[in-house]
């Protein structure tokens, strides 16, 4: 399928070759002319920043107990720290994205370095609960800035390979703490935790500061075909995110396609986070061996990270809607299969189904920014995706509060089956999607520039 067909997605006919040329447009060459070096260094910087700030999300469970013991604070009170992190990390992305789209990433990521690095360093010296709330929330704002900047760096510099490059960044966020967790676990004592927190904070600060100096955005006219004689013929080969109209966030909110994407994001985030947050207790519910629960929790982020690369590449090479739909269907089926494996008491199958469930649901953080950029343009992609990303809050509420209520009233089996049903429903909804009317993607004719 080419770019001019009705769904506006990137198909295998637009696949970039090894030199970064797709549809007759030399994206890699144009980027190198602007940067003076390969555009892949932009992705490397973005991925490094994502890995650096990932301890906020993935190391919290390892530092929670030492903080509780040292400050003599009950663990339930500390639970609110992580809840505040999710809220501030998600909601900070919209203002950060709007700033980045209009002013670039430099000053913004410098601020993120101070917030994220300083937040962790401050934890080493915190003496009360309110200080933990404040420091982790400020750090979460820094994480939110880094996240939206990193994801949309891929969108802006790689309109031809948004799936793969978005996958690199989000994989770094999912797996970036793999080296940090063993260090934290080996020193998770009251006596050592302050040094651990300070060292991690310094690492976050340094890596993110370096990233803030490396990251740049392409000029708005970096793919202007008229200047080099390609003209309209060149437009036909452009990726949808460049060829179509650039929607503002307000204009995007007025289209039904956005609200369907928003509902699909909530459904998939709910299914995804339900497994992440509850897989250990779900395994224990069936009386499975402790090793099964440990393996599930340990291998889960590995499957999540690898899948973002593999399926990110797939949506660049094949029809995006088909890959998304198949992925969501399989994510739902594996979740339903988890119930059967647990009831059968088969630990090996249970672990395998956990890996399958996460492999096919975790790339939601690759699919949605790619498809959103296709439909609404790359020009305002940071702010637009930040609006969509707020749907993760809905997923967090479902996987936490709502799931807790459902488990108490119905039990684990119906709750996890519902998670599988949400993923299947999102897969069905994919086939309803099509580019907004007036986007310039319906007939292959480029829309007027905003």
């Amino acid at each position: 399928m080419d770019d001019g067909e009705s769904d506006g997605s990137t198909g295998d006919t637009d696949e970039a070759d090894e030199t970064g040329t797709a549809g007759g447009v030399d994206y890699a060459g144009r980027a190198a002319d602007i940067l003076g070096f390969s555009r892949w260094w932009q992705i490397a910087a973005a991925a490094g920043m994502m890995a650096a700030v990932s301890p906020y999300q993935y190391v919290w469970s390892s530092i929670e107990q030492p903080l509780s013991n040292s400050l003599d604070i009950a663990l339930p009170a500390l639970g609110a720290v992580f809840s505040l992190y999710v809220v501030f990390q998600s909601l900070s992305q919209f203002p950060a994205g709007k700033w980045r789209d209009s002013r670039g990433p430099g000053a913004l990521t410098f601020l993120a370095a101070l917030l994220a690095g300083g937040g962790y360093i401050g934890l080493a010296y915190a003496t009360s609960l309110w200080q933990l709330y404040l420091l982790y929330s400020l750090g979460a704002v820094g994480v939110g800035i880094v996240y939206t900047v990193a994801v949309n760096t891929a969108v802006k510099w790689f309109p031809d390979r948004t799936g793969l490059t978005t996958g690199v960044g989000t994989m770094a966020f999912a797996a970036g703490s793999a080296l940090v967790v063993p260090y934290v676990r080996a020193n998770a004592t009251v006596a050592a935790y302050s040094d651990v927190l300070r060292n991690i904070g310094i690492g976050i600060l340094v890596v993110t500061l370096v990233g803030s100096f490396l990251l740049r955005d392409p000029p708005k006219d970096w793919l202007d075909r008229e200047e080099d004689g390609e003209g309209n013929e060149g437009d036909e080969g452009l990726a949808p995110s460049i060829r179509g109209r650039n929607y503002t966030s307000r204009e995007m909110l007025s289209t039904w396609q956005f609200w369907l994407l928003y509902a699909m994001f909530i459904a998939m985030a709910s299914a995804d986070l339900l497994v992440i947050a509850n897989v250990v207790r779900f395994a224990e519910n069936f009386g499975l061996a402790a090793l099964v629960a440990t393996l599930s929790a340990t291998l889960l982020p590995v499957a999540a990270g690898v899948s973002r690369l593999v399926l990110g590449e797939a949506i660049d090479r094949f029809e995006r809607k088909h890959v998304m739909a198949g992925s969501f269907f399989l994510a739902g089926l594996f979740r339903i299969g988890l119930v059967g494996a647990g009831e059968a008491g088969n630990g090996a199958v249970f672990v395998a189904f956990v890996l399958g469930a996460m492999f096919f649901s975790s790339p939601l953080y690759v699919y949605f920014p790619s498809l959103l950029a296709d439909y609404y343009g790359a020009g305002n992609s940071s702010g637009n995706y930040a609006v969509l990303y707020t749907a993760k809050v809905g997923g967090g509420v479902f996987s936490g509060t709502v799931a807790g209520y459902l488990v108490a009233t119905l039990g684990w089996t119906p709750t996890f089956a519902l998670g599988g049903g949400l993923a299947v429903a999102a897969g069905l909804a994919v086939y309803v999607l099509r580019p907004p009317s007036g986007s310039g993607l319906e007939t292959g004719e480029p829309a007027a520039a905003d």
Side-chain angles (χ1 to χ4, degrees):
M1 178 178 290
D2 63 28
D3 286 339
E5 293 195 25
S6 61
D7 76 346
S9 304
T10 300
D12 55 0
T13 57
D14 286 332
E15 178 186 336
D17 62 23
E18 294 180 358
T19 65
T21 300
V25 180
D26 184 9
Y27 296 96
R30 291 167 185 256
D33 289 340
I34 296 167
L35 292 168
F37 49 82
S38 171
R39 58 181 176 163
W40 280 101
W41 285 107
Q42 296 290 297
I43 299 303
M49 295 170 64
M50 288 279 263
V53 301
S54 66
Y56 273 91
Q57 182 158 319
Y58 293 99
V59 177
W60 170 252
S61 62
S62 297
I63 67 172
E64 187 177 20
Q65 187 67 59
L67 284 172
S68 174
N69 295 338
S70 176
L71 301 179
D72 193 23
I73 298 173
L75 283 174
L78 284 182
V81 175
F82 192 76
S83 297
L84 287 169
Y85 159 78
V86 173
V87 171
F88 280 96
Q89 188 260 348
S90 300
L91 299 184
S92 64
Q93 293 191 38
F94 176 69
K98 295 294 288 184
W99 174 283
R100 186 264 178 87
D101 284 335
S102 61
R103 296 176 175 86
L108 193 63
T109 47
F110 183 84
L111 174 63
L114 299 180
L115 290 172
Y120 238 90
I121 293 172
L123 290 178
Y125 303 99
T127 57
S128 61
L129 182 60
W130 73 266
Q131 292 173 347
L132 295 181
Y133 288 162
L134 177 62
L135 290 165
Y136 225 78
S137 297
L138 290 174
V141 173
V143 176
I145 293 172
V146 168
Y147 194 98
T148 192
V149 166
V151 168
N152 288 284
T153 291
V155 171
K156 291 179 182 298
W157 283 110
F158 286 82
D160 52 324
R161 305 195 74 180
T162 54
L164 174 64
T165 51
T166 302
V168 171
T170 55
M171 182 200 70
F173 189 71
S177 295
L179 297 178
V180 179
V181 170
Y183 167 62
V184 173
R185 297 291 296 173
N187 296 279
T189 64
V190 173
Y193 90 97
S194 292
D195 289 340
V196 169
L197 295 174
R198 184 173 57 252
N199 292 341
I200 293 175
I202 292 172
I204 293 172
L205 179 64
V206 171
V207 173
T208 314
L209 280 176
V210 171
S212 72
F213 288 107
L214 291 177
L215 288 184
R216 293 170 56 188
D217 278 352
K220 294 184 182 300
D221 61 349
W222 77 295
L223 293 174
D224 183 2
R225 275 70 58 200
E226 294 182 0
E227 292 185 2
D228 54 19
E230 292 180 24
N232 290 334
E233 183 179 353
D235 288 345
E236 292 299 324
L238 286 176
S241 62
I242 299 297
R243 178 167 50 83
R245 172 188 173 192
N246 286 319
Y247 283 73
T248 66
S249 297
R250 185 184 296 274
E251 291 170 335
M252 178 183 71
L253 289 170
S254 68
T255 65
W256 65 262
Q257 287 91 339
F258 170 78
W259 293 107
L260 180 57
L261 285 168
Y262 199 86
M264 291 166 59
F265 198 115
I266 291 177
M268 286 308 303
S270 297
D272 191 64
L273 293 171
L274 182 65
V275 176
I276 293 173
N278 300 289
V279 67
V280 172
R281 287 193 292 161
F282 190 52
E284 293 172 346
N285 170 72
F286 291 113
L288 297 173
L291 178 61
V292 172
T294 300
L295 282 175
S296 297
T298 302
L299 297 177
L300 182 152
V302 176
V306 170
S307 69
R308 296 179 191 191
L309 278 183
V310 174
L311 294 180
E313 174 72 359
I315 64 168
D316 287 336
R317 291 180 175 271
F318 307 105
E319 178 54 55
R320 281 190 176 157
K321 287 172 63 172
H322 296 330
V323 175
M324 284 181 66
S327 180
F328 293 167
F329 283 139
L330 289 171
L333 293 178
F334 272 108
R335 278 163 174 75
I336 295 171
L338 270 178
V339 175
E343 291 180 340
N346 193 319
V349 174
F350 185 90
V351 173
F353 277 29
V354 167
L355 299 182
M358 293 309 302
F359 186 89
F360 290 108
S361 69
S362 187
L364 77 99
Y365 299 106
V366 176
Y367 300 149
F368 283 100
S370 299
L371 192 61
L372 195 77
D374 280 355
Y375 282 8
Y376 299 103
N380 302 308
S381 61
S382 299
N384 289 346
Y385 182 58
V387 175
L388 181 63
Y389 193 84
T390 62
K392 184 181 177 181
V393 175
V397 170
F398 176 86
S399 62
T401 305
V402 175
Y405 172 78
L406 292 175
V407 169
T409 56
L410 301 176
W412 282 107
T413 295
T415 302
F416 263 67
L418 176 59
L422 288 172
V424 171
L428 291 171
V430 169
Y431 290 108
V432 180
L433 288 169
R434 61 178 182 270
S437 177
S439 64
L441 300 175
E442 303 94 330
T443 62
E445 292 298 325
D450 290 347

